[in-house]
Amino acid sequence: MNKTDKRASKHTPKIRLPLFGRGKKPMELEDDIANVITDDTKFNIKEAYKTTRTNTLFALNSDKGCKRIILTSSIPGEGKSLTSINVAITFAMANTKVLIIDCDLRKPKLHRYLGADNKKGLSNILGGFDKVEDCLKISQEHNIHFITAGHVPPNPIELLSNEKMEKLLDTLSETYDYIFLDTPPVNVVADTSALAKLSDGILFVVRHKFTTQDMVYKAISSLEFANAKVLGFILNDVDMSSYSYTSKVGYGNYKYKNYYQYNNYYY
């Protein structure tokens, strides 16, 4: 039994996780769920996220213990939450034990993408209303565990910066190989900066033809002030329709764009 199995066997049998990802979904969730990667997702999309996984592992530059990774952006609308889920799923594809937590206690979205309810979640745990095992869920389809945000509290940053959050992550780190934290945009609220000290690094999502340089510079400055480690940037929503690899020598003017166009870039 390896180290990962020991951590899992020590904790997992003590809890029973609700299953999500099977059966008919409510109509209003269909568009959100359709964007989450599955076995049927196009090759180019899955490869883009696998590239992100590989580069993130190099950026972490360590194989010791559980890794806590924040995914954030500068402003809303950059695809941060969807990217967080798909990156987490891609890590789970490598046979690692993965947990994703919706730390956006103001505008949570994780439950929508995974087709789950949001009655109990992170805010309930930090507020002392529910136990961790009552809020943990599993998506059998994607092979990941997750904790939704829970009820929107009046004091999100106070909850996230509380000692209970640190203790929660320490406890969960004994069970999981990777914990992904989907946090609010940096330029909107200070929640991400408060969590930065509890993470091993940050993946920063930038939307193509949407995010400005000033927005990114402002956000990165805030993260640097919090002594955060930025692992890399994910350029999201790239229109690759005008890009192709064409060669008249040896490939008969064959275009690779149908198979190798990526919608995510990692820097």
Side-chain angles (χ1 to χ4, degrees):
M1 181 180 291
N2 58 35
K3 184 177 180 182
T4 301
D5 293 333
K6 289 180 180 179
R7 291 202 303 271
S9 62
K10 180 181 178 182
H11 295 272
T12 304
K14 298 179 182 179
I15 57 178
R16 298 183 63 182
L17 307 181
L19 299 178
F20 291 89
R22 288 183 172 182
K24 189 174 180 63
K25 308 296 190 306
M27 184 65 69
E28 63 268 18
L29 298 178
E30 288 184 355
D31 291 339
D32 291 339
I33 295 173
N35 291 317
V36 178
I37 58 175
T38 64
D39 291 338
D40 298 325
T41 299
K42 292 181 180 179
F43 170 84
N44 58 299
I45 297 176
K46 288 194 289 188
E47 283 302 306
Y49 282 107
K50 287 181 180 179
T51 300
T52 299
R53 180 185 68 198
T54 300
N55 290 342
T56 300
L57 291 174
F58 278 118
L60 287 169
N61 195 29
S62 175
D63 59 354
K64 296 180 180 179
C66 174
K67 299 302 176 187
R68 309 166 185 176
I69 303 171
I70 287 175
L71 282 98
T72 191
S73 61
S74 56
I75 58 173
E78 299 186 81
K80 166 188 62 66
S81 294
L82 177 61
T83 301
S84 300
I85 296 169
N86 286 341
V87 169
I89 292 172
T90 306
F91 269 76
M93 290 177 179
N95 296 319
T96 56
K97 196 166 180 61
V98 174
L99 170 71
I100 180 170
I101 305 176
D102 193 341
C103 297
D104 193 339
L105 302 183
R106 303 166 194 269
K107 296 185 67 176
K109 290 184 178 180
L110 178 65
H111 63 287
R112 291 185 58 86
Y113 285 111
L114 294 177
D117 67 77
N118 192 33
K119 295 178 181 178
K120 295 181 179 181
L122 180 60
S123 63
N124 301 75
I125 298 171
L126 298 179
F129 301 106
D130 292 287
K131 297 179 180 179
V132 177
E133 53 264 36
D134 295 328
C135 301
L136 268 171
K137 301 178 179 69
I138 181 172
S139 172
Q140 187 166 333
E141 179 181 4
H142 304 297
N143 193 31
I144 60 172
H145 293 187
F146 63 98
I147 298 176
T148 63
H151 293 293
V152 177
N155 56 340
I157 191 168
E158 284 79 6
L159 288 179
L160 295 174
S161 57
N162 191 285
E163 185 180 354
K164 287 185 178 180
M165 184 65 183
E166 183 175 359
K167 290 182 177 180
L168 173 64
L169 291 177
D170 287 342
T171 300
L172 293 171
S173 294
E174 296 177 3
T175 302
Y176 297 95
D177 298 306
Y178 296 95
I179 298 176
F180 292 91
L181 309 175
D182 177 18
T183 67
V186 177
N187 290 347
V188 178
V189 291
D191 300 13
T192 300
S193 297
L195 288 171
K197 64 180 180 180
L198 304 180
S199 74
D200 293 289
I202 295 176
L203 293 177
F204 198 89
V205 179
V206 180
R207 185 176 176 183
H208 188 231
K209 293 185 177 180
F210 181 84
T211 316
T212 67
Q213 289 185 347
D214 289 342
M215 294 174 186
V216 176
Y217 289 149
K218 180 181 178 181
I220 295 302
S221 295
S222 298
L223 294 175
E224 288 178 344
F225 185 77
N227 294 319
K229 178 183 179 182
V230 178
L231 300 173
F233 294 81
I234 300 175
L235 184 58
N236 190 37
D237 197 26
V238 179
D239 181 7
M240 297 297 291
S241 60
S242 60
Y243 294 85
S244 65
Y245 179 83
T246 306
S247 174
K248 294 183 179 181
V249 181
Y251 292 101
N253 200 31
Y254 187 82
K255 293 186 177 181
Y256 279 77
K257 71 177 182 178
N258 292 330
Y259 298 94
Y260 292 96
Q261 54 176 321
Y262 295 161
N263 291 328
N264 287 45
Y265 284 154
Y266 183 101
Y267 295 96

